[in-house]
Amino acid sequence: MKQALQSEVMYLKGVGPQRAALLAERGILTVEDLLDYLPFRYEDRIRFASIREIVPGNTYTLRAEVVSGGVVRFARSPNPIYHLMVRDPTGVLHCKFFHGGYLEGRFKAGQRIVLHGKADIDPYRPARLEMINPQYELLGDGAADSTEVGRIVPIYEAIGSIGSRTLRRVIYQALGNLPPGLHDPLPAALLERYRFPTRRDALIYVHFPPTTEGVETLNAFRSPAHQRLIFEEFFFYQLSLAMRRQQTQQATGIAFRVREEKIREALKRILPFKPTEAQKRVLAEIGADLERPVPMNRLLQGDVGSGKTIVAFEAATIAMENACQAALMAPTEILAVQHYLAARRVFARAGYHVELLISGLKPGEKRAARARVHSGVAQFVVGTHALIEEGVEFARLGLVIVDEQHRFGVLQRKQLIEKGSKGGTAPHVLVMTATPIPRTLSLTLYGDLDCSVIDELPPGRTPVATRWTTEAHLPGVREMLRREVALGRQAYIVYPVIEESKQELKAAIVEYERLSKEVFPALKLGLLHGRLRSEEKEEVMERFRRGEIQVLVSTTVIEVGVDVPNATVMVVEHAERFGLAQLHQLRGRIGRGAEKSHCILVAPKTLSPDANDPAWIRLETMVSTSDGFAIAEIDLKLRGPGEFFGTRQHGELGLHLANPLRDRELLELARREAFALVENPDAGAERRRLLDSLDPSWQRRYQLATVG
Ligand code: ADP
Ligand code: MG
């Protein structure tokens, strides 16, 4: 039964080796992959509008005939416009394709064409109706081709030169070959409970919906067939989370002593300040985990500057007082070094040995550091990816901490955990993230973890004053910066790129020169970017920390974690190019002390208020709120989950159709069902049956095999 789906697309009619290669680039190898490639939109071609009935300003789907077409060039614009004229029995319509040079030769008079787009009056010739950049599809000769007209038609995103129409035909054919008894991976009980269509019926429905279904429902992905396929993705992903979770729960952990007087004393000794209520609560949650003979698996969320680091150090203290090592992995060397220095300071009185492990170390140093990690002399090991390299061995790793988890993949977390899994016990794990994420998303990304939230900032912070402006106002911005530095404070100026590029963006290296010589000749400037060698980066950061550098010109390497409380000014140039999360992180570098801080976001020229312009929304959002959760929600809406998660994370999720934000309820439902199947002791046999019946490709896609 599975064969039909697993056969290669190459053998479908209309897919030769060339097209197969294009499809393969998109990861479409089998018929199943092809059927998973769903329409992004549906068009009602049961009835077409006629040109005469067009009301300017509305969107239409029309069937017409090509009259003529050709490129028009204007002296003042280097970009050619392709002009296409079409007609139907009721009138004539003009279409303009900007940058349309590539269309030369595509259309011939008399061809039948379907157009979809917004119709308007030509502003230069008010008697004419036009469509700007409409979507179009040339119809074949077979006048009654059942995939093209007379139905609700699926529109696919083109894959290379394979257009929507070709995809439609090939998919139609593949659907026709589906055996009637196609295997349905969802348990029958679930199909029944939620009245979902079978997988076979759902696939046919989403590709070629019946004429009775509403186009709006389809376009909102809310048809029963869509819902079933979305549920299916969430269900299997949550199943893998549930199984991963169960696996850690069944592993043996090290039960730490937590409540003893000696440990209380040790914790008191390291604290440089009075913890906030939120920090205390979160530490209590962590302590309760550490006491149990089951590995902790906890996510610590807290907005930038909420004070996660010291909580991590407290957890590490408990581990070290229990004769175990603790490791802290950070995504950048700058951050790792900063944590290392902070840990040295915090742990100085307690006398714990703190070790740094980054790839920038000299070979000799690295060997020595590794030896101390191996022997157990090194008690708290701070580092980057270098921690999970081969050859790094711990004597007794009891606690793994991952800072800024969103920068790592699930796999890297796992590798570090494996370093500590010896002699039948697994280490406790604490992951921290400063990208606050809405609950539905943390269920998706971190659904196998328990969650603690620091929802309070340390006292004595003055909110950061944020505004956005244009380059024309840079002199005023620089004046303010000079004033702050004169008061003994420090500043960051951030650029989007290191070196000059084709995109004509201001570059850190060039601007650093200009600023040093022309703008701030009397100030001490430093330059920091990702291409410096480790020692250079370290030295610049150290001098900035010590106040020897007053103005740090930088790229986004300082985006995460950097903590210099004396810095009160953050200027971001080309702020329109940065994502919301980035801007929020950058702003998080200031406002860390008691002094008033200023964040100025600079765009080259003014952006007019436009609720459809993401750049404008981002800048306005930054000005109007400093709440990380609110910012994350808006960011997610702007970017969609794929980009929000980042490709690395997203690739690991196996979600194509499902969107955690849009499909919140299905996610919760699928999660409940999946966890019940894993946690309910009576469901064991059912679960085994389910997993055994799954095709290996599915097990891979949802990582079910690896955790099974
Ligand atoms: P993040 O959560 O972004 O990692 P950090 O741990 O870097 O934040 O803390 C931000 C700053 O706040 C640091 O300078 C830290 O020393 C300080 N801090 C943290 N907790 C407290 C507290 N309870 N009282 C005063 N300052 C604190
Ligand atoms: Mg931090």
Side-chain angles (χ1 to χ4, degrees), residues 273-276 279 303-309 458 461 563 565 592:
F273 34 62
K274 199 164 151 294
T276 61
Q279 284 170 322
D303 209 344
V304 271
S306 61
K308 294 181 289 293
T309 314
R461 300 272 173 87
D563 184 34
R592 298 187 154 239

Side-chain angles (χ1 to χ4, degrees), residues 144-213:
D145 188 341
S146 59
T147 61
E148 292 182 17
V149 290
R151 67 178 324 141
I152 295 173
V153 174
I155 311 292
Y156 301 91
E157 201 182 300
I159 297 181
S161 57
I162 312 177
S164 182
R165 182 165 153 242
T166 307
L167 282 166
R168 196 179 305 139
R169 272 193 310 214
V170 173
I171 288 171
Y172 191 75
Q173 189 196 140
L175 286 169
N177 297 339
L178 280 186
L182 184 75
H183 176 69
D184 192 325
L186 276 184
L190 290 183
L191 290 184
E192 219 164 285
R193 192 168 317 149
Y194 300 111
R195 298 179 200 285
F196 284 137
T198 63
R199 181 164 172 78
R200 181 179 190 277
D201 290 347
L203 284 173
I204 294 173
Y205 199 104
V206 290
H207 287 289
F208 289 96
T211 49
T212 47
E213 184 58 280

Side-chain angles (χ1 to χ4, degrees), residues 271-277 279 300-313 335 338-339 342 345-346 403-404 432-434 454 456-461 560-565 585 588-589 591-593:
L271 269 184
F273 34 62
K274 199 164 151 294
T276 61
E277 286 308 310
Q279 284 170 322
L300 176 54
Q301 278 203 71
D303 209 344
V304 271
S306 61
K308 294 181 289 293
T309 314
I310 193 70
V311 174
F313 287 176
L335 193 50
Q338 176 182 289
H339 281 325
R345 239 180 2 256
V346 166
D403 195 16
E404 309 294 346
M432 306 196 286
T433 175
I454 304 185
E456 174 187 6
L457 291 181
R461 300 272 173 87
V560 291
V562 168
D563 184 34
V564 179
Q585 290 290 332
R589 298 310 113 223
R592 298 187 154 239

